[in-house]
Amino acid sequence: MTRSADSIHIRDFVVSCMVGIYPSERVCTQQVVLNMALSVDIRKAALGGIGYTVDYARLSGELRFLLEASRFELLEEAAEGLARYVLAPPTADGSRVQVQAVSLDIAKPEALDGGAKPSIEIYREVQDYECVIEESVFGFVDVIFETEQVGIYRLRVAPGAEIPMHYHQEMDEAELTLGTGLLVQGRPAAPGEGRFWPRGFPHTYRNTSTEECTILCVDRPKFMREDEIETDIPPRDLDLSRVRAYYPVES
């Protein structure tokens, strides 16, 4: 008899986001429904606590952020981007162990008439991907997923390092802080805070901790180095309508 792997499931996760290729789908949000099974060995968690498993409350917030910020055009694109993020090597402030495999089903229940629900189902294993890591002035960048339309990255800011004040003229950028220790615009950034930066809005981060801190970043279109324009403009606060909480208050 073949032994089945342990799994953590997130079922019937509903997110309102922009997804699709038709003009109406590019201006209005619609619901997507996500079901996901994560293959992990839960024995250590059963004895040692949450540090040996996946914090599914935080992960669901990160998945919601990715779906809202990425504005995927295809369900295929969304499924692949989410799978690559879940299978990426965990960071020190990521609150999860390495996921070995993921089964993912994502559907658009409002897309068709007559009650039909188009969906995509995929299965991926950790060995299917190699995370590309690039050096940066502030630490490292993990390239999680890229198409011409969107890029998903993890910005790993070294202790004491700073992402210089900069702005973008062409890229839309959204960023989610995963842990504690980061200052954004000179103020503490809480874990799970997502920021949607307008084009032309200067922003900066600094790691005040003794540990590496991670920012989950979505660029639309994918990152263009020439569009990262440094400036010495003093920092100003982002409008609160562009700051959203993605983690439970208790976390």
Side-chain angles (χ1 to χ4, degrees):
M1 179 181 295
T2 302
R3 178 176 172 177
S4 60
D6 302 338
S7 296
I8 295 173
H9 291 257
I10 298 175
R11 294 189 175 100
D12 302 323
F13 184 49
V14 180
V15 179
S16 292
C17 60
M18 197 173 292
V19 57
I21 60 172
Y22 293 111
S24 61
E25 294 179 306
R26 303 314 299 166
V27 295
C28 297
T29 62
Q30 62 180 300
Q31 287 188 346
V32 300
V33 181
L34 179 67
N35 290 281
M36 181 179 288
L38 313 174
S39 294
V40 295
D41 187 336
I42 70 165
R43 287 173 292 185
K44 287 186 178 180
L47 300 173
I50 197 168
Y52 297 98
T53 185
V54 175
D55 186 334
Y56 47 78
R58 286 176 54 128
L59 178 60
S60 63
E62 293 156 17
L63 297 174
R64 183 183 298 276
F65 168 78
L66 289 174
L67 286 167
E68 291 180 354
S70 299
R71 290 176 278 163
F72 294 112
E73 294 186 357
L74 299 175
L75 282 181
E76 291 88 342
E77 185 185 18
E80 190 71 11
L82 297 182
R84 286 178 182 247
Y85 177 69
V86 168
L87 292 172
T91 59
D93 52 359
S95 292
R96 61 181 170 91
V97 294
Q98 177 66 65
V99 176
Q100 297 302 315
V102 58
S103 296
L104 186 156
D105 176 278
I106 187 168
K108 294 199 300 183
E110 302 170 331
L112 300 176
D113 294 331
K117 297 179 181 180
S119 66
I120 294 291
E121 184 174 356
I122 66 171
Y123 173 80
R124 299 287 186 269
E125 298 181 349
V126 66
Q127 59 264 28
D128 292 336
Y129 304 125
E130 181 179 356
C131 185
V132 176
I133 302 174
E134 299 178 351
E135 290 192 30
S136 175
V137 295
F138 56 79
F140 297 95
V141 176
D142 298 335
V143 181
I144 303 296
F145 178 73
E146 278 188 325
T147 68
E148 290 302 314
Q149 293 76 33
V150 63
I152 298 174
Y153 313 95
R154 291 189 310 199
L155 315 181
R156 295 192 280 125
V157 187
E162 182 176 32
I163 298 178
M165 181 72 75
H166 67 283
Y167 63 91
H168 307 290
Q169 293 180 323
E170 297 184 44
M171 293 186 299
D172 290 317
E173 188 166 68
E175 293 173 320
L176 179 75
T177 51
L178 299 190
T180 58
L182 283 171
L183 298 182
V184 55
Q185 310 297 77
R187 299 178 183 273
E193 282 186 349
R195 289 173 170 81
F196 293 75
W197 302 105
R199 294 178 188 176
F201 194 102
H203 50 285
T204 180
Y205 293 86
R206 182 162 63 90
N207 183 357
T208 62
S209 77
T210 58
E211 305 291 337
E212 185 179 79
C213 292
T214 310
I215 303 165
L216 179 57
C217 175
V218 174
D219 287 331
R220 288 193 54 85
K222 70 178 182 180
F223 180 72
M224 298 181 290
R225 196 169 303 278
E226 66 276 10
D227 192 44
E228 186 152 293
I229 303 166
E230 294 190 17
T231 179
D232 56 3
I233 295 175
R236 57 192 175 97
D237 291 336
L238 187 63
D239 188 286
L240 289 178
S241 66
R242 290 180 171 269
V243 182
R244 304 172 195 171
Y246 286 90
Y247 288 170
V249 174
E250 293 87 349
S251 69

